[in-house]
Amino acid sequence: MKHKFICLGIAIGIIWLALVMSVTATSITVKTDKPGAKINPAMWGIFFEDINFGADGGLYAELVKNRAFEFPDPMMGWSKLSPSKARGTLTIRDKNPFNAKNPHYLRIESEGKDLLGVANEGFRGIGVVASEAYNFSAQIRSVSGNAKVRVELYSSNGALLDTVRLENFSSDWQNYSTVLHPKTTDAKAKLYVLVDGAGTLDFDMISLFPAKTWKNQPGGLRADMVQKLADLKPGFMRFPGGCIVEGIYLTNRYQWKKTIGPVAERETMLNRWNVEFLHRPTPDYFQSFGLGFYEFFQLCEDIGAQPLPILSCGLACQFNSGEACALTNLDTYIQDALDLIEFANGPATSTWGAKRVALGHPEPFNLKMIGVGNENWDAPYLERYAKFHAVLKAQHPEIQLVSSAGPFPDDAHFKYAWQKLRELHADIVDEHCYAKPDWFFNNTHRYDGYDRNGPKVFFGEYAAQSDKVVSVENRNNLECAIAEAAYMTGLERNGEVVRMASYAPLFAHIDAWQWTPNLIWVNNLQSYGTPNYYVQKLFANNPGDTLLPLTLDAAGAEKLFASATRDTAAGEVIIKVVNGGDLPVTATLDISGAGKIDSAANVSTLTSGSLKDENSFTAPQKVFPQESKLDVGSPKFDHAFPANSLTVLRLKITQ
Ligand code: AHR
């Protein structure tokens, strides 16, 4: 009996609290007739890095791993197929290679008693869809005999999915191609390449691509993954990272010039995430650079994002060796930046502009920004940045430079960087933060006091961590997404100083990740957006171009956050409201200065039943924005904001 009373008491208490909370005199006033600063309509962008199989094994749609036999173990990803009757040898050679930059190739010498060859396991399997076309190609050279080749796809349980034949090989390297159509769908199929008959054949650049890539580009990008990016309508894309820019040592820094032109000439290189985390070793992670700088620029154009390439500043990752190029030898690094500007924007008559034109893009890529260094810090960075700054500003005042404030948002490296960058009159400073959700809730006013006349801010890497940085337990759950949304209202309110922001990292393969959380998860056939993705999408799809002053009176609803902008072309007011509390909050919205409001406002609401809710391959839209119409009779109306939610209201107004 006593127990029943306690329960009743608790229930009444909860109902009372809910009532009190929902009737609290909360108000949000937006002054549409007092527009504030112009903000960057391209503020919400994306951060791409080849981490978690983001490029090789992910966005770059190549299905064959180690296609050029260039991994340190040249047979990694390959296994020998040799039925008991088969006689012959498989060797890796580098004499008279197809390409000197990737010199290794496979020789198969078969006595012809049975099929002899290799199987490729793909990137944690090869994802194929029933009846779709898969383009196989390989460089093949006949050394002796008259053997044929069988190219076959097998399912994960050993069923033959398709088989095709190639024959009549030249004694010089030549490209041979064919198309396979698997009978069934399989996320973990295998590719077989078998020599049929007596003879010796050499193989290199063994490749398999889905015919259906993004825009059906041969050798292109995975369509579902690019679509996810396009749907975000990102204002910009930062590439190619991340720490991958810097290299463990300077020799394995990212060098853009080595990533353009024929793919066979792009030297395979260790991916730094192969060895970075002892708790997540990924020994088969290398960079083919099939997704290189030309493809990055093209991708930006395709999805309407401004390109933001980040280049090495002559300083290897300071979490690794911190190897520094002597200040007196920085010229090659600076020249790389100058040449990149010419590659992107220069005329056909310029050396690097001509290369872009030859690759198929006569028009400039309209590059407006370059990042110098990623997450570098202290004097070794600032001294190098200063050299870049002097040359680039003198030769290309039209290009905005992004500089680094180091890995953390408020430590000594950060303060030192800001002091020096202010002195240098830097354009845009890149701040990073990976922290618990509370940090994001508690720092929504971080930029309120930033100097409006100093360098601008790029909040270039951030993500709420449900556990802690680098923990494998971090989850892409609603709680983290809502914390990020709350913080983003603070970024937007300060849009005159915060010019850009991007969540990081972008992609992760479910079987091959090193880092979590991530914005989009993929397997070999599917991809899904996390709750965090839908937060980014709601902001990036509804940016606005002008700040509108907003007053939030939220006594009793401390976890309510809001920002407002105007989309001038659409004649709309956009209000973003985050209720990070566990109870719904009803607020009175006062759109002051609006003469008339179109009664049908568009409302998008992102929430879910539990803070721990996540999306998955089986329930990709468990946490998903709900669209509705709101009947707004007058410029002053009430709206209930659900617990743990992000709401975006779009109101058409006439002044
Ligand atoms: O986003 C993952 C990593 O976090 C990036 O490569 C690096 O810049 C940061 O430390």
Side-chain angles (χ1 to χ4, degrees):
M1 195 58 167
K2 193 174 162 202
H3 179 71
K4 262 191 182 166
F5 275 123
I6 294 174
C7 289
L8 191 65
I10 293 174
I12 290 171
I14 291 174
I15 292 166
W16 176 82
L17 205 62
L19 281 173
V20 168
M21 289 300 293
S22 60
V23 297
T24 307
T26 298
S27 65
I28 297 171
T29 306
V30 179
K31 296 210 162 115
T32 62
D33 51 350
K34 301 250 170 346
K38 289 270 171 215
I39 56 169
N40 178 8
M43 171 163 181
W44 310 109
I46 51 179
F47 160 99
F48 180 86
E49 177 168 22
D50 191 4
I51 182 173
N52 305 317
F53 275 21
D56 287 291
L59 196 56
Y60 182 52
E62 172 64 86
L63 296 168
V64 175
K65 184 168 71 186
N66 194 11
R67 65 184 174 193
F69 304 96
E70 293 301 326
F71 290 8
D73 166 3
M75 286 300 284
M76 186 179 264
W78 297 95
S79 51
K80 184 176 172 184
L81 294 168
S82 168
S84 57
K85 279 193 284 157
R87 298 278 175 276
T89 55
L90 269 64
T91 45
I92 296 293
R93 302 168 59 93
D94 59 6
K95 239 195 205 156
N96 300 326
F98 164 62
N99 190 291
K101 296 252 175 69
N102 287 305
H104 298 98
Y105 60 89
L106 171 71
R107 172 164 291 182
I108 302 179
E109 301 180 69
S110 176
E111 290 180 19
K113 299 205 164 62
D114 205 337
L115 299 169
L116 178 68
V118 285
N120 191 275
E121 66 190 24
F123 296 90
R124 313 300 155 99
I126 292 178
V128 291
V129 177
S131 307
E132 294 210 340
Y134 290 84
N135 298 329
F136 172 91
S137 65
Q139 291 292 333
I140 304 177
R141 171 172 68 186
S142 172
V143 180
S144 66
N146 197 19
K148 300 180 172 54
V149 166
R150 279 201 213 171
V151 183
E152 305 188 325
L153 274 169
Y154 278 86
S155 73
S156 42
N157 57 17
L160 180 64
L161 299 180
D162 197 11
T163 176
V164 285
R165 239 165 226 260
L166 294 170
E167 54 193 20
N168 297 328
F169 301 110
S170 150
S171 56
D172 295 322
W173 285 110
Q174 256 186 44
N175 188 57
Y176 294 86
S177 60
T178 184
V179 183
L180 291 117
H181 295 89
K183 270 197 292 231
T184 55
T185 296
D186 199 309
K188 291 189 183 283
K190 280 188 174 182
L191 175 74
Y192 285 22
V193 179
L194 298 155
V195 172
D196 186 358
T200 299
L201 293 172
D202 292 338
F203 296 85
D204 203 354
M205 292 301 289
I206 300 180
S207 169
L208 185 72
F209 269 90
K212 279 194 190 161
T213 54
W214 171 253
K215 295 193 169 219
N216 295 327
Q217 281 285 337
L221 306 181
R222 222 176 102 169
D224 62 319
M225 291 172 72
V226 180
Q227 192 60 55
K228 289 268 177 323
L229 302 184
D231 291 347
L232 282 173
K233 300 194 186 143
F236 65 90
M237 181 169 94
R238 166 182 166 170
F239 57 89
C243 292
I244 215 163
V245 169
E246 307 157 65
I248 301 171
Y249 294 97
L250 286 173
T251 45
N252 47 32
R253 72 189 187 276
Y254 197 104
Q255 296 186 58
W256 74 268
K257 288 176 179 165
K258 295 186 172 183
T259 74
I260 58 169
V263 288
E265 288 175 16
R266 304 181 193 180
E267 258 172 75
T268 307
M269 194 173 82
L270 179 86
N271 184 308
R272 58 106 58 197
W273 297 105
N274 180 317
V275 288
E276 184 62 16
F277 288 155
L278 293 179
H279 61 289
R280 299 291 298 176
T282 316
D284 55 343
Y285 205 180
F286 289 81
Q287 297 176 86
S288 69
F289 297 108
L291 170 53
F293 257 47
Y294 179 76
E295 291 80 15
F296 276 125
F297 278 115
Q298 186 62 61
L299 174 60
C300 288
E301 190 170 278
D302 287 353
I303 62 176
Q306 291 175 21
L308 170 49
I310 310 280
L311 300 183
S312 162
C313 65
L315 189 56
C317 181
Q318 288 162 283
F319 288 118
N320 300 140
S321 70
E323 184 190 2
C325 167
L327 286 172
T328 45
N329 290 339
L330 267 188
D331 293 3
T332 38
Y333 292 79
I334 297 174
Q335 194 59 47
D336 273 356
L338 294 169
D339 293 342
L340 182 62
I341 297 168
E342 189 173 288
F343 176 70
N345 294 349
T349 48
S350 63
T351 310
W352 288 94
K355 291 189 200 287
R356 183 195 70 244
V357 175
L359 289 171
H361 203 283
E363 294 306 316
F365 278 120
N366 200 14
L367 178 68
K368 292 182 180 146
M369 311 175 274
I370 282 193
V372 178
N374 167 68
E375 240 180 37
N376 296 115
W377 63 79
D378 284 353
Y381 173 63
L382 276 313
E383 287 163 3
R384 281 161 187 76
Y385 174 78
K387 297 244 173 216
F388 275 80
H389 187 99
V391 177
L392 291 173
K393 282 283 138 194
Q395 295 193 31
H396 287 284
E398 78 284 8
I399 299 287
Q400 292 275 291
L401 294 184
V402 173
S403 48
S404 164
F408 307 110
D410 47 17
D411 65 350
H413 303 310
F414 176 90
K415 291 181 181 122
Y416 177 77
W418 260 101
Q419 181 206 324
K420 292 287 170 195
L421 291 167
R422 244 181 244 115
E423 286 164 20
L424 282 166
H425 302 289
D427 296 320
I428 305 174
V429 179
D430 180 12
E431 301 187 352
H432 293 181
C433 180
Y434 297 97
K436 301 276 277 186
D438 273 356
W439 186 94
F440 290 90
F441 281 123
N442 295 337
N443 280 279
T444 55
H445 290 282
R446 173 182 172 89
Y447 295 105
D448 294 2
Y450 265 52
D451 180 2
R452 270 37 192 168
N453 301 313
K456 305 296 181 208
V457 172
F458 168 33
F459 201 58
E461 285 187 33
Y462 66 96
Q465 316 281 296
S466 65
D467 188 22
K468 55 180 184 280
V469 187
V470 174
S471 164
V472 296
E473 304 301 332
N474 286 323
R475 308 300 310 178
N476 279 105
N477 60 27
L478 179 70
E479 181 181 15
C480 291
I482 295 301
E484 289 150 8
Y487 188 75
M488 289 165 78
T489 63
L491 299 180
E492 186 162 84
R493 277 190 304 96
N494 288 281
E496 56 190 308
V497 67
V498 182
R499 303 300 290 168
M500 300 185 293
S502 46
Y503 182 101
L506 187 57
F507 288 120
H509 190 296
I510 196 74
D511 296 327
W513 56 271
Q514 297 77 47
W515 180 292
T516 187
N518 302 286
L519 204 61
I520 298 165
W521 286 87
V522 309
N523 60 24
N524 286 342
L525 292 173
Q526 304 153 282
S527 49
Y528 72 84
T530 57
N532 319 71
Y533 171 86
Y534 290 108
V535 165
Q536 294 295 319
K537 187 163 184 253
L538 284 174
F539 274 78
N541 286 191
N542 298 288
D545 51 73
T546 307
L547 279 179
L548 293 177
L550 178 146
T551 318
L552 177 64
D553 188 351
E558 279 75 24
K559 276 185 136 180
L560 201 67
F561 308 88
S563 55
T565 59
R566 183 180 72 189
D567 179 337
T568 309
E572 290 182 356
V573 171
I574 304 168
I575 306 173
K576 302 184 180 88
V577 181
V578 173
N579 178 9
D582 290 333
L583 293 167
V585 173
T586 297
T588 302
L589 283 101
D590 186 354
I591 315 302
S592 92
K596 196 171 153 288
I597 295 191
D598 186 332
S599 63
N602 288 312
V603 185
S604 313
T605 311
L606 182 74
T607 187
S608 190
S610 161
L611 280 176
K612 302 290 165 237
D613 281 353
E614 299 177 28
N615 291 335
S616 61
F617 290 108
T618 47
Q621 298 192 347
K622 182 172 182 161
V623 186
F624 188 74
Q626 301 303 316
E627 307 296 328
S628 58
K629 296 272 180 203
L630 180 68
D631 238 343
V632 182
S634 76
K636 203 166 177 177
F637 60 94
D638 285 354
H639 189 71
F641 297 96
N644 304 309
S645 66
L646 161 64
T647 304
V648 180
L649 295 128
R650 288 194 76 117
L651 309 158
K652 221 175 193 45
I653 62 159
T654 41
Q655 228 117 38

